[in-house]
Structures are given as structure tokens and as C-alpha cells.
Amino acid sequence: MKALAAGIGVVFLSPILIACTGMMLASSADAVQSSGSFSNCLTDLDTDKVAEQVTKILDGASGKNVHIKGLDLPAEQVPNAATIVATGLSLDVPKKGRIVALATAMQESRLRNLNYGDRDSLGLFQQRPSQGWGSAQQIRDPVYASEQFYKHLLKVNGWQQMTITQAAQAVQRSGYPDAYAQWENLATALQEAIAKTFPGSGNDADSKDADQGKQPSTGTTGCAPGQDGSGFGRIPEGSVPKGYAIPRNTDPKARKAIEWAMHQLGTLYQWGGSCTNAHGPDPMGRCDCSSLMQQAYAHADVTLTRTTYTQVNEGKAVPTAQLEPGDLIFSRGTAARPEHVGMYMGEGLVIEAPRTSKPVRITPIKDWTILAARRVL
């Protein structure tokens, strides 16, 4: 029926609208209000202006005085776009793939996390539980939905040589296969503006998930026997090992930082996440490895910089055999440019935000190859 409707629409479209690749067609949700027809198909976007307006939203502006051509509800749509971009960065998806994802979400839901759609379609990409995309609850999680879109896109042979529309259609199989093209310029502008707001503009080590698919390292840490965390046995992800307590002689500020970090246990990792509301609905409020350290110490009135690359220069260096609770330990990459950071908790344990799809967790230090350690107090 969708295909028939698309055919009928083409018959009656004027040459101008045909050139606009279906600008007047509604999204597949069939209930998202159109923001009107854009006679120029969004080709005259001022990308600098888009970047300025996007930054306002990401900095907490209400959206009332923010105007981005093509977005009716920027306060809702921009954070969703940021989640799509951040998820793509965390999975090492090339720039073009992130643009394909944004254009798809614009067409399917207008970048709104919908709880309705055609038949059982839901969420940003209007994915369907009945078609194997996941449960309704999963699809309504913007991070999960984005991950699923990217995983399907990356399986498409030759997608990088396709047009944005062809790549999107290869994943979505829409009844309106030409409709994605109208959003390419806006998607490109959004991607560029949002990517710049993340540490390292997409080159932060947190984005690489360097250990994804690998087993934890078991290199020498220099810790004394019996203090490597092995005595706690297997530690379920997101839980505090039975019998652990913050050591009594822990510096008060370090204790406060550890306690705050422990309250984030079980929350999912989000590359580029601010860690300002890890339990909240916005994925970008979740933690990555360096923002967990930054926010934990912020709650102890200690200011840290944002990335592993800079945190490795905070405070003073300490030998791994002399670690104290609250010390930052670094792994992966090199000692000068480490790719991961965690906080030593004492008793041979470390709290960390490990990588995409994993929660904030406590791990034994025996599983770490420590490249550097810093005391920030």
C-alpha cells in the first residue's frame, strides 16, 4: 500500500517537487507534523548558524529563541541528534555513516523518540519489534536504536559508495525510498556542529573503544600480593563486591569522589556523555571514562579536565605499588597518551566506565595494565 501511495504521489508531483525528492511526503510515523515545504530543499543552510544554534541547545538553552531551519522542536531534536552522533563516534562509524543515520531519523521521526508509528514502528528510526529490531523498550532507547541502525548499515556491502538515500534505504526499506535525500544538507550540518562539541572532535580516545571485543589485559600492575582484587572473586557488572568498604584512612575528598562514582554503578557508558545525570533519560547525561572521573571529583570540589589525554597530567605521578584510594590509573595506548582511565578504590579494586554497551562497574586491578597513575589531591 505504501509503495502504491508513493507511485500515485509521483504522478501528481510537479517538476519542482520531483526535484525536491518528495519534500512534501510525511514521515513513516504518519503522525509527525510537517514543518512545511521548503522550496529550496534546505540547500541554503548556513552551517555556521546551525552550529551556533546547536551549541546553544547543547549548552542548556530552552529552545524558545533557537531557530534551525528544518527543526520545529530543536530542544527535543538536537539532543536526539547528539545521541546519534555520539553513538556513531563510539562505534567508529565514519562521518558519512553518521550523516546517513541523521538523515534517516529526520525522515522517519523528525528526530523525535516516538512511542507510535506505522503498525508497530517506534522510536527515532521507526524500527519494528516484529521485524527483529528488538523489544519495544529497547527500540525506545535512543542509544540502542542508534546502535542497531549503525550495525545494519555497516553490514550493507558498499554503503560508503552509495548516496545518502541509497544507504538509508538499504537499511530501512521504506515505501518512500527517495525521501531521505531532502535531509542530507541538514544532517551534514548537524553532524559537523555536534561532532565539534565532543572532546577531540571525534578523536578522543574514549571514542575508539580500543578494547572492544578483546579480553582484559593481565599485565603487571605492581600491586602487592593479596591486593589485586582477586580475593573478591567474580564481580557482577554494576555491583559492589561483597565485603568491600572504602578504607578508613582514605582522604575525605577521595572518599567523597569514590562514593559519588559508586552511585553511578550500573548506568550505561556513553561516549562523550557529560556524566551529569547518568540515571536520567538523556543518554548524553551518562558517563564515559573521563567524565566519570571529572564529575566524581567535581562533587568533592576538585576540578579536573575533561579527557584522558589531559587528566594524565593532573596532580602528581605515583608509583603503582603505592596507590591510594582516589588515585587515577590509566591504561591502553601509551603512558603519554592513554586511552582509558579509572579510579582506584583500595582493596585492589577500580571503578570505571569501560566502553560502549557496558555499565559503570568495579573491576579487580589485576585486569589492568597500568601505564600511569596520578594523585590529584
Side-chain angles (χ1 to χ4, degrees), residues 20-23 25-26 103 107 165 174 176-184:
C20 219
T21 60
M23 179 60 74
L25 295 175
Q107 174 58 27
T165 290
S174 169
Y176 305 111
D178 296 324
Y180 301 106
Q182 64 188 304
W183 304 113
E184 181 173 350

Side-chain angles (χ1 to χ4, degrees), residues 80-81 83-85 87-88 93-109 111 124-125 127 145-151 153 159 164 167-168 171-172 180 183 187-188 190-191:
N80 285 333
T83 297
I84 292 171
V85 172
T87 303
V93 176
K95 176 181 176 180
K96 181 174 181 177
R98 303 193 295 267
I99 294 172
V100 172
L102 288 169
T104 301
M106 274 301 306
Q107 174 58 27
E108 298 293 348
S109 69
L111 277 173
L124 290 173
F125 298 91
Q127 295 157 339
S146 299
E147 288 177 348
Q148 290 301 305
F149 179 85
Y150 286 126
K151 287 177 181 178
L153 175 65
W159 71 269
I164 299 298
V171 176
Q172 298 295 107
Y180 301 106
W183 304 113
T188 300
L190 287 173
Q191 197 288 140

